[in-house]
């Protein structure tokens, strides 16, 4: 089974009042295709830093990040942008939909940026909206959607360019309990069906049964815990 995401000896330090503070300390993680991994930890433990490095948004002080076996470290901004567009999908806690675009247009925009044809974009958008149970909402603007619907649109948008890896940052934070479970169940289902590797940062232990493995990040170290 392929590891679509690998982090090797990831370290992140910064200067704090004349001292070097270590946020991530030689952190290692491999996420196989079809696997959803949860990362938990107290506030300030470095979860956002970890996710930013794994997603190519932040350079580590040391170590290597591999997506589909290729290192993303040391790439220029344009190459990283292309990599994020084609190989990574991001789901944020507040969906981050564009307010003036309809649901279908949110998805089409992502595919157009990647250079897909209009016909291919439309077919892919229709397929994903059907899977997410959103076909009847394709012409709705974000303000007309419920919180759960907005997050389902965000999942569809993240999957639009068939990325290798999905990153979810507190995807249930703005939802009630039942909607939060529904959203994570949807993410887990798509990860399994489409053989993605996925990492979800969360504080919500109710969603852990949907995850294949659970890690805790504390004092710069990542420790696996039983699901």
């Amino acid at each position: 089974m392929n590891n679509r995401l690998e982090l090797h000896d990831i370290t992140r330090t910064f200067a704090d009042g004349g001292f070097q503070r270590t946020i991530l300390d030689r952190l290692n993680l491999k996420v196989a295709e079809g696997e959803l991994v949860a990362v938990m930890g107290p506030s300030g433990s470095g979860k956002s830093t970890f996710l930013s490095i794994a997603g190519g948004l932040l350079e580590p002080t040391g170590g290597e990040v591999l997506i589909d076996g290729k290192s993303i470290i040391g790439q220029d901004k344009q190459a990283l942008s292309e990599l994020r567009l084609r190989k990574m999908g991001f789901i944020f806690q507040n969906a981050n939909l564009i307010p003036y675009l309809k649901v279908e247009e949110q998805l089409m925009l992502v595919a157009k940026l990647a250079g897909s044809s209009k016909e291919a974009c439309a077919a892919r958008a229709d397929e994903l909206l059907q899977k997410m149970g959103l076909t009847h909402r394709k012409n709705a603007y974000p303000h007309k959607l419920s919180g759960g619907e907005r997050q389902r649109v965000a999942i569809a948008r993240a999957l639009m360019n068939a990325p290798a890896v999905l990153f979810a940052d507190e995807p249930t934070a703005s939802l009630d309990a039942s909607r939060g479970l529904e959203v994570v169940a949807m993410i887990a289902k798509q990860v399994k069906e489409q053989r993605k590797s996925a990492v979800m940062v969360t504080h919500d232990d109710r969603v852990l049964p949907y995850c294949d493995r659970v890690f805790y990040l504390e004092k710069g170290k990542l420790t696996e815990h039983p699901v």
Side-chain angles (χ1 to χ4, degrees), residues 39-59:
V39 176
M40 305 186 79
S43 295
S45 62
K47 296 188 302 298
S48 294
T49 301
F50 155 78
L51 205 63
S52 294
I53 289 173
L57 299 167
L58 182 67
E59 279 269 339

Side-chain angles (χ1 to χ4, degrees), residues 125-188:
D126 284 347
E127 175 194 354
L128 286 169
L129 291 176
Q130 186 174 3
K131 282 183 177 179
M132 297 294 158
L134 289 166
T135 301
H136 67 297
R137 304 296 269 154
K138 66 189 292 184
N139 292 315
Y141 288 98
H143 73 276
K144 294 289 188 180
L145 304 176
S146 69
E149 286 174 333
R150 284 194 291 272
Q151 281 295 56
R152 278 187 278 156
V153 174
I155 295 169
R157 183 180 61 185
L159 292 168
M160 191 65 187
N161 289 337
V165 184
L166 281 178
F167 297 104
D169 186 8
E170 300 281 5
T172 66
S174 60
L175 303 174
D176 62 36
S178 62
R179 290 297 187 198
L181 290 174
E182 176 187 300
V183 162
V184 175
M186 194 86 61
I187 293 170

Side-chain angles (χ1 to χ4, degrees), residues 58-71:
L58 182 67
E59 279 269 339
T61 307
E64 190 169 38
V65 179
L66 304 177
I67 302 286
D68 271 351
K70 294 184 179 179
S71 177

Side-chain angles (χ1 to χ4, degrees), residues 20-200:
Q20 282 292 114
R21 186 178 170 198
T22 300
I23 300 299
L24 303 177
D25 186 8
R26 290 173 295 177
L27 183 151
N28 291 282
L29 178 66
K30 294 181 180 181
V31 186
E33 59 182 16
E35 187 176 39
L36 173 59
V37 168
V39 176
M40 305 186 79
S43 295
S45 62
K47 296 188 302 298
S48 294
T49 301
F50 155 78
L51 205 63
S52 294
I53 289 173
L57 299 167
L58 182 67
E59 279 269 339
T61 307
E64 190 169 38
V65 179
L66 304 177
I67 302 286
D68 271 351
K70 294 184 179 179
S71 177
I72 69 171
I73 303 302
Q75 304 256 18
D76 62 36
K77 286 185 179 180
Q78 185 174 348
L80 272 175
S81 293
E82 281 289 311
L83 194 64
R84 284 194 292 269
L85 186 60
R86 298 176 187 279
K87 287 284 189 178
M88 306 179 201
F90 294 88
I91 304 163
F92 302 100
Q93 59 180 285
N94 294 317
N96 285 5
L97 301 181
I98 300 170
Y100 55 83
L101 292 183
K102 296 175 183 177
V103 166
E104 185 180 41
E105 293 168 340
Q106 307 275 344
L107 276 60
M108 296 280 282
L109 175 63
V110 174
K112 284 176 185 174
L113 289 171
S116 299
S117 69
K118 187 174 182 181
E119 293 75 16
C121 292
R124 177 69 172 159
D126 284 347
E127 175 194 354
L128 286 169
L129 291 176
Q130 186 174 3
K131 282 183 177 179
M132 297 294 158
L134 289 166
T135 301
H136 67 297
R137 304 296 269 154
K138 66 189 292 184
N139 292 315
Y141 288 98
H143 73 276
K144 294 289 188 180
L145 304 176
S146 69
E149 286 174 333
R150 284 194 291 272
Q151 281 295 56
R152 278 187 278 156
V153 174
I155 295 169
R157 183 180 61 185
L159 292 168
M160 191 65 187
N161 289 337
V165 184
L166 281 178
F167 297 104
D169 186 8
E170 300 281 5
T172 66
S174 60
L175 303 174
D176 62 36
S178 62
R179 290 297 187 198
L181 290 174
E182 176 187 300
V183 162
V184 175
M186 194 86 61
I187 293 170
K189 183 173 185 284
Q190 295 303 316
V191 168
K192 292 287 181 293
E193 288 182 355
Q194 299 189 34
R195 309 307 294 166
K196 311 298 181 191
S197 290
V199 177
M200 176 176 62

Side-chain angles (χ1 to χ4, degrees), residues 201-214:
V201 165
T202 183
H203 282 106
D204 190 350
D205 56 11
R206 294 169 297 188
V207 307
L208 299 184
Y210 291 101
C211 301
D212 297 292
R213 289 187 292 155
V214 178

